[in-house]
Each structure stands twice: as C-alpha cells, then as structure tokens.
Amino acid sequence: MALPTRLTRLLGIEHPILQGGMAWTATAELSAAVSNAGGLGIIGAGQMPTEVLREQIRLAKTLTDRPFGVNLMLMTPHIADLVQLCLDEHVPVVTTGAGNPGGFIAAFKEAGIKVLPIAPSTALARRLESQGADAIIGEGMEAGGHIGELTTMVLTPQLVDAVDVPVVAAGGIADGRGMAAAFALGAEGVQVGTRFMCASECTIHPDVKERIIKAKDRDTVVTGYSTGHPVRVLKNKLSKMVEELDRSNDPAAIEELGTGRLAAAMREGDLEMGSLMAGQCAAMVDAIQPAAEIIAEIIAEAEDVMRRMATVPV
Ligand code: TUI
C-alpha cells in the first residue's frame, strides 16, 4: 500500500488501517505503537475521567510523532468535557461511537481536527457527511462491544453508495483477506479492533488475550438487546446472566449488573464476571504479536490476495 489514497492522505498515515478505539483497552501505548507502525492508533476514551484522558493524550504525544486519534463514546455523561479536551489538546483525529456526533463536528473542523464518526446505517452517514464528517467508519455487527444491526458485508457497499467521503469498513476484519474484501466492497480503509487486543503493546490483562486466542467461531454472543444498546461479548457467566435478564425484559437490572464490568475484564482479567467485549473474529486471532507485525502481515496478505484475484476468471 505504498501509494497514497484519499484516506491515507486525509489522515497523514502510511497504511489504511485504523485501530479500533476500544474503551479500557486501547491505551496510549497501543495507539502509539500502531501509529509508529504506519497505521492510525486510536485511544479509547470510553468513560475515562477528563484528566485521565488528558494524561493519555499527552503520553501518546511523547510516544509517537505520527498522527493518532481519540475515540469518543457519545453515551458518556461528561462527553462535552472530553470534546473540549480534544479541542484544547489539538488531537489530530477524533472518531466517535455509540451516538450522533453532529453537534460537535463543526467545532472539531474549525480546530483542524479530522472527524470520522462510526455509523451503523446509511441515513446517519448521509447526515454526518452533510455536517462535515471527513470520512465514515461503517461498523458491522460482527464487531465487539456496542453494535448496530447490519453486517459489514451489506453495510459497507451501501455506505459507499450513500456518501462521497471515504468509507472505512469495520467489524469482522482481522487479516489481509478481510481487508481485501473490504476494498472489494468499496471501502478505502479498515478498522481492526479485536486483533489489536492481542498486540504485545496492548495493556489489557494477559488472561483476556489468552481467552481471545483460544476463542472459537461461535464463542461470542450479543446481549443487552432489551437495553437498546446491545453488546457483543465472549460468552461467560456474566453473558449468561445478562441473557437471562434480557429474556425477563429487565433492562434496569442489566445496566446495574453491567456497571464496571468492562474494566473488571480488561484491567483485572475477570474472565467469568467481566464484560469480555470482543468481535466474532476473536476466533481468527491466534498469537500475541507486536502491532507493527500485525500491520505488516495484514498489508502483505491483502496485497497477495488482491494480486491473485486480479487473475481469477469470473
Ligand atoms: O461504540 C462502539 N462500540 C462500543 S462503545 C462501548 S462502551 C458501552 N458500554 C456499554 C453499553 C454501551 C456502550 C463498547 N463498545 N462502536 C461504534 C458504534 N457506534 N456501534 C454502534 C454505534 C452507533 C449507534 C447509534 C453510532 C451511532 C448511533 O446513532 C444513533 C443516533 O442517535 O442516531
């Protein structure tokens, strides 16, 4: 991928690979490693206190000279403070998830910050493009964490048809085959989350990395439909309890049970009662590797697949 594309030019990166901004998981260390390897590292702000995010952004700036991003989770109660912090710190790129960032886009643009919202539907993508989004990240329901309804396979080409800005495909992409498939659907880049959870530089608990490496194809489940914001997680005791509460249609109990569970999983390694947010492609992750190696493998494999496909008769 030596030739610059619209997306790599927009972001000032070498390879069109974004690292998912996963809460409690994508810290400055991981993000800087991805950016140093030519991708776009993204700090997952999640529900971080503003001062913690400030430290993370400043740490990333000491660890890399390259562009990096911050993912803002829009359901966070103090989201306005986190937006202001990104403006004050002149973060190069902001991605957003779990809501509509329309009201914040103009301020980011004025500050010269690139904005890439995650959109689970064409209607929202169109609206965000008209409000100034620089690109759209289309995340299919193969992804881990909070998900929309559509798969990457059907969402990506519809987004490509719906907007003129570049589309980044996310959800279910862990290797060069997935990247080549995303390109075939018209995406100009990919966002990879779960595979980067097993990067050497990712600071999550080692037991979670091991659990991902052991995961098989049907080891994730979507829970929390009754709350209105379903999440994909690796199956465990907590996911079974939440499924039970979904069946009895008790969203308040799910919210209460869920409090602090993502941190318990990712930081303390609570494999049974932690929320093990991970995508379906957990089953495709089979090693802990440096971020640079992950990126080099994905790029080399995508190039190989695309070269071979160029000679396939249809
Ligand atoms: O945001 C994510 N993934 C996440 S956020 C998260 S933290 C969390 N914890 C518990 C419950 C909920 C969240 C864990 N994983 N991915 C991006 C994403 N964005 N997926 C879906 C959406 C989305 C949904 C609705 C984006 C926009 C949207 O707009 C609705 C509207 O208001 O128009």
Side-chain angles (χ1 to χ4, degrees):
M1 308 282 154
L3 293 176
T5 63
R6 284 202 301 175
L7 187 78
T8 57
R9 233 180 272 123
L10 171 75
L11 300 174
I13 59 177
E14 190 183 347
H15 304 299
I17 299 179
L18 283 60
Q19 159 253 309
M22 303 164 283
W24 290 105
T25 300
T27 60
E29 290 87 348
L30 175 63
S31 308
V34 170
S35 288
N36 284 334
L40 187 79
I42 300 175
I43 298 168
Q47 309 237 23
M48 264 181 204
T50 310
E51 285 315 307
V52 176
L53 182 58
R54 190 192 309 277
E55 283 165 23
Q56 285 283 303
I57 292 169
R58 293 193 176 168
L59 178 57
K61 286 176 181 170
T62 69
L63 296 174
T64 185
D65 294 331
R66 308 234 184 142
F68 66 92
V70 169
N71 174 264
L72 295 175
M73 206 281 280
L74 297 170
M75 278 166 31
T76 300
H78 59 296
I79 187 65
D81 293 344
L82 298 181
V83 167
Q84 189 57 48
L85 173 65
C86 290
L87 293 168
D88 294 344
E89 289 290 324
H90 304 290
V91 168
V93 179
V94 165
T95 67
T96 66
N100 182 345
F104 302 124
I105 295 179
F108 285 133
K109 300 289 306 245
E110 263 167 52
I113 296 173
K114 303 288 186 277
V115 191
L116 286 77
I118 298 182
S121 68
T122 53
L124 183 60
R126 268 199 211 96
R127 197 154 66 236
L128 293 169
E129 178 182 47
S130 73
Q131 290 169 323
D134 292 288
I136 298 290
I137 304 172
E139 189 182 270
M141 54 88 81
E142 298 93 322
H146 176 45
I147 54 169
E149 285 173 35
L150 301 177
T151 61
T152 303
M153 185 81 157
V154 299
L155 177 62
T156 309
Q158 293 188 69
L159 288 175
V160 169
D161 289 345
V163 299
D164 291 325
V165 293
V167 170
V168 175
I173 299 168
D175 61 21
R177 294 171 299 181
M179 185 178 200
F183 281 11
L185 298 173
E188 295 177 50
V190 293
Q191 177 169 282
V192 173
T194 304
R195 185 156 179 202
F196 281 120
M197 293 176 75
C198 287
S200 328
E201 297 90 346
C202 181
T203 61
I204 59 170
H205 197 284
D207 290 355
V208 177
K209 294 187 183 185
E210 202 180 312
R211 180 69 209 280
I212 290 171
I213 288 169
K214 283 190 185 146
K216 299 211 169 30
D217 51 357
R218 299 177 63 226
D219 280 0
T220 70
V221 62
V222 180
T223 63
Y225 277 116
S226 63
T227 66
H229 31 86
V231 294
R232 181 180 299 285
V233 293
L234 285 163
K235 293 175 185 171
N236 64 2
K237 189 169 176 192
L238 177 68
S239 73
K240 284 198 188 76
M241 290 169 72
V242 177
E243 279 182 297
E244 193 55 47
L245 291 168
D246 263 334
R247 275 192 288 273
S248 51
N249 199 15
D250 193 347
I254 294 178
E255 302 283 8
E256 197 183 326
L257 181 62
T259 306
R261 298 291 175 184
L262 182 59
M266 301 308 165
R267 310 317 311 175
E268 290 153 37
D270 187 342
L271 294 185
E272 282 313 317
M273 284 303 289
S275 181
L276 295 172
M277 293 186 188
Q280 287 186 321
C281 61
M284 296 161 67
V285 180
D286 52 20
I288 295 171
Q289 296 170 285
E293 205 172 292
I294 294 174
I295 290 179
E297 260 185 36
I298 293 175
I299 295 294
E301 189 179 27
E303 285 176 341
D304 183 51
V305 169
M306 291 190 289
R307 242 191 322 269
R308 282 190 293 115
M309 287 184 71
T311 66
V312 172
V314 177

